[in-house]
Amino acid sequence: MRLQFGRRDKTEQKDRIRGKKGILIAALLISVPILGLLLIYIAGLGRYQSCFLSGTVIDEVDVSGMTIPQLQEQIGDYSLRVIERKADGTTLEEEITGKDIGISYLSTEPLETILQEQNSFLWFLGGRADYETTAQLHYEESTLEEKIAGLRGFQSEFVQEPEDAYIADYVSGRGFELVAENQGNRLNRNKTIEVIKAAVDGLEEQVDLEAAGCYDEPKVTLEDVSLKKTYEKLQNYANAVITYTFGKEKEVLDGETIVGWVTRSGNHAVLNRELVKEYVSSLRKRHDTVFHKRKFQTSYGVEVTIDQGDYGWWMDTEQETEELIAMLDRGESGERVPVYRQKAASYDDPDYGDTYVEINLTAQHLFLYQNGVCVLESDFVSGNPSRGNDTPAGIYGITYKERDATLNGENYSTPVSFWMPFNNNVGMHDATWRTEFGRNIYMTNGSHGCINLPYSVAQEIFNYVEKDTPVICYHLPGTEPEPLPEIPVELEPGQEAPEDVVPAPEAGQPVTVPQPEAAPQPEAVPQPEAVPQPEAAPQPEPEQ
């Protein structure tokens, strides 16, 4: 029994020893890491007495773990990569080092203040801390500017000037073409110096001069609104096709001609008004018929030449020029009718067509034609040549027609029922005070220049004619009527017989009257533009 007891004591003793060892080992296992951490903390505490905590940023420079001497040394090793643009759009890099420009801090006092104020006991917590200081970097500005001036971007052989977008000259068959701008690579010196200095002040590692806007840019690009509008206008000019029709003849105006009228200043374009007017004038000269001589086949089978009067096509050069320019500026094409001061009946020859009033002043007889058919003829009394009131020969158009007009003159005021002026104050009208028409009455008892007609004839003509109906007056020797042996003196109401009225000759004796001097012929046919023609003629005081 003792033996057994003795064994049990020894076993218990061993267990106690093993328990103590376990506790010791556990204690060691716990204390060693703690001790290590303590040592690390103490080491960090000591280190961060002289260097900046992790996450410290001063004036945008990360100074984590750096001492002030290390920061000064790093600044001395500072370099700036400058990215420049080549003419072809690719890039190159150049370097400006801190040593080249002698960069350093003027004073480290603001840095030391931050170092002293930081809580080094909590160095292990980390976290970002940003500071802005009055610490100023010092470098030789003149040296920096010399370095900037030495960049390749400022060398003449490297620089390509920026070029504006523009509209290339017209090419037949292709029109105009927009040419894109060229960026080039000309640096703006002041802007570049400003940007690089700012990069150095901030100790930045690189600066992209293009991204910083240091390059001079073209003033006009393809996106320029004014350039686009001008290009569209020029293309409209080049693509325009305008057709003028003059009867069977056509005049086609196309872009080949129009672009020759364009005046360009930079990227602006306008039509030269004088050149457009020259073109319109050329149309007028080829197609106007006003003031032209005409051959006229009379009802007597004899052809006469009509070289007086203002009937015919008469283009309004000024107004047509303005409207043609406006049409082209709107980009319109198509058929165009010119603006006329006055129109004729037909573009074909003869321009007076086949509806007109034919007045034979020699025979004192007229004919009215409608669509080539004579629908009326009558004797009349024309202007009195013995008093210088001859009715002028020539071709004219009815100016207007009016019912119940009053004809006013120097010594008369006579109402008429049908008034149809065709040559200023000369016109056709009824003359109810007359009982005789035709023959040689006009020689001594004629009108003041008008064509006096029987009431019924004037009424019928009035119903046929319209504004612009041609009136053709002419003399035709050999068609003189048989003279009256005695010319009646028939005056309109209220008019007194003039003292110089030629008395009626004896039967069988011819009437002799003074002949007026022939009107002088103009040396040159007047140009229509020089003679204003109102759209609506005012009410004149007509001659009788």
Side-chain angles (χ1 to χ4, degrees), residues 83 85 195 207-215:
I83 302 174
R85 185 176 76 203
V195 166
V207 60
D208 187 330
L209 297 183
E210 181 174 11
C214 294
Y215 288 95

Side-chain angles (χ1 to χ4, degrees), residues 160-446:
Q160 180 174 328
E161 297 293 320
E163 297 175 353
D164 290 344
Y166 66 97
I167 303 170
D169 291 337
Y170 175 81
V171 176
S172 181
R174 289 170 49 191
F176 294 91
E177 181 180 354
L178 272 176
V179 179
E181 68 276 9
N182 187 331
Q183 296 292 332
N185 65 335
R186 183 181 67 195
L187 285 168
N188 181 295
R189 186 174 296 275
N190 292 336
K191 179 67 174 178
T192 303
I193 292 173
E194 176 189 339
V195 166
I196 291 180
K197 280 185 176 181
V200 172
D201 290 340
L203 296 178
E204 297 177 12
E205 294 182 358
Q206 74 173 37
V207 60
D208 187 330
L209 297 183
E210 181 174 11
C214 294
Y215 288 95
D216 289 337
E217 300 292 337
K219 295 179 180 179
V220 181
T221 70
L222 289 180
E223 299 306 312
D224 184 87
V225 174
S226 176
L227 179 67
K228 287 182 176 180
K229 287 184 177 179
T230 301
Y231 174 70
E232 181 180 356
K233 178 187 288 188
L234 288 171
Q235 285 296 76
N236 286 339
Y237 292 156
N239 296 329
V241 178
I242 295 176
T243 302
Y244 287 93
T245 302
F246 302 92
K248 297 177 181 177
E249 297 184 35
K250 292 183 182 295
E251 297 273 2
V252 178
L253 173 62
D254 59 22
E256 294 288 330
T257 299
I258 296 166
V259 296
W261 302 340
V262 176
T263 298
R264 294 174 60 182
S265 176
N267 283 322
H268 298 280
V270 295
L271 290 174
N272 184 312
R273 186 184 183 283
E274 291 307 311
L275 295 178
V276 180
K277 184 177 178 180
E278 284 182 14
Y279 173 79
V280 174
S281 294
S282 71
L283 293 180
R284 180 188 61 76
K285 290 175 182 178
R286 289 195 295 273
H287 299 286
D288 271 11
T289 59
V290 68
F291 308 121
H292 287 195
K293 290 184 178 181
R294 298 168 178 79
K295 297 294 184 181
F296 176 66
Q297 186 68 30
T298 70
S299 297
Y300 300 86
V302 178
E303 187 177 73
V304 296
T305 298
I306 308 296
D307 56 6
Q308 297 295 318
D310 61 1
Y311 182 83
W313 293 103
W314 188 354
M315 194 182 298
D316 188 329
T317 305
E318 295 293 331
Q319 190 61 31
E320 177 57 22
T321 297
E322 297 301 327
E323 294 197 14
L324 177 56
I325 289 174
M327 183 177 182
L328 293 173
D329 284 343
R330 292 192 300 269
E332 297 177 5
S333 293
E335 300 283 335
R336 176 158 184 82
V337 176
V339 179
Y340 286 102
R341 294 174 182 268
Q342 176 178 286
K343 296 181 180 181
S346 173
Y347 282 113
D348 297 326
D349 189 24
D351 63 346
Y352 51 80
D354 56 9
T355 295
Y356 52 85
V357 179
E358 175 186 348
I359 296 178
N360 183 343
L361 295 170
T362 303
Q364 293 287 285
H365 196 75
L366 66 72
F367 305 86
L368 173 62
Y369 283 87
Q370 288 286 314
N371 301 319
V373 177
C374 181
V375 296
L376 176 150
E377 60 179 291
S378 172
D379 289 337
F380 58 81
V381 176
S382 63
N384 187 342
S386 66
R387 298 183 58 81
N389 293 327
D390 304 67
T391 300
I395 180 168
Y396 309 92
I398 296 290
T399 309
Y400 61 93
K401 62 180 185 176
E402 182 182 359
R403 283 297 311 268
D404 302 323
T406 299
L407 311 184
N408 297 303
E410 185 176 348
N411 60 351
Y412 62 89
S413 179
T414 304
V416 298
S417 297
F418 307 101
W419 169 232
M420 296 161 281
F422 57 82
N423 178 15
N424 296 320
N425 294 336
V426 175
M428 296 179 287
H429 63 79
D430 55 295
T432 54
W433 58 90
R434 293 189 183 276
T435 59
E436 297 284 345
F437 294 89
R439 300 293 199 68
N440 55 343
I441 296 173
Y442 75 103
M443 289 186 173
T444 57
N445 191 29

Side-chain angles (χ1 to χ4, degrees), residues 15-171:
D15 290 340
R16 282 195 297 270
I17 293 172
R18 281 197 296 268
K20 289 179 179 179
K21 287 181 178 180
I23 293 171
L24 180 60
I25 292 171
L28 289 173
L29 290 174
I30 294 172
S31 61
V32 169
I34 293 174
L35 181 61
L37 291 173
L38 181 61
L39 292 175
I40 291 172
Y41 173 77
I42 294 171
L45 182 63
R47 179 171 183 268
Y48 286 105
Q49 295 296 318
S50 59
C51 68
F52 296 104
L53 295 176
S54 178
T56 302
V57 177
I58 300 176
D59 298 330
E60 299 184 0
V61 176
D62 189 348
V63 297
S64 300
M66 296 175 63
T67 64
I68 291 177
Q70 287 174 333
L71 177 57
Q72 289 178 302
E73 182 180 354
Q74 178 173 302
I75 288 177
D77 292 336
Y78 167 74
S79 66
L80 175 67
R81 288 184 294 115
V82 181
I83 302 174
E84 302 165 61
R85 185 176 76 203
K86 295 181 180 180
D88 62 4
T90 59
T91 61
L92 62 84
E93 293 184 7
E94 295 188 79
E95 187 178 52
I96 297 176
T97 67
K99 292 179 181 179
D100 290 337
I101 58 177
I103 191 169
S104 65
Y105 279 112
L106 284 175
S107 172
T108 60
E109 184 177 345
L111 303 176
E112 291 170 354
T113 300
I114 293 173
L115 189 62
Q116 291 169 5
E117 291 179 351
Q118 69 181 8
N119 190 348
S120 56
F121 290 101
L122 299 177
W123 65 267
F124 56 88
L125 294 180
R128 184 179 177 91
D130 289 279
Y131 298 90
E132 290 186 6
T133 73
T134 58
Q136 294 182 351
L137 287 172
H138 169 74
Y139 55 83
E140 297 295 334
E141 287 196 19
S142 60
T143 304
L144 176 59
E145 290 182 6
E146 288 178 5
K147 285 291 183 182
I148 293 172
L151 294 173
R152 289 192 64 191
F154 287 109
Q155 310 313 306
S156 58
E157 67 276 6
F158 181 78
V159 176
Q160 180 174 328
E161 297 293 320
E163 297 175 353
D164 290 344
Y166 66 97
I167 303 170
D169 291 337
Y170 175 81
V171 176

Side-chain angles (χ1 to χ4, degrees), residues 456-471:
S456 60
V457 173
Q459 181 181 34
E460 191 169 356
I461 293 177
F462 188 92
N463 292 334
Y464 272 112
V465 302
E466 299 294 342
K467 182 180 182 301
D468 296 328
T469 297
V471 177

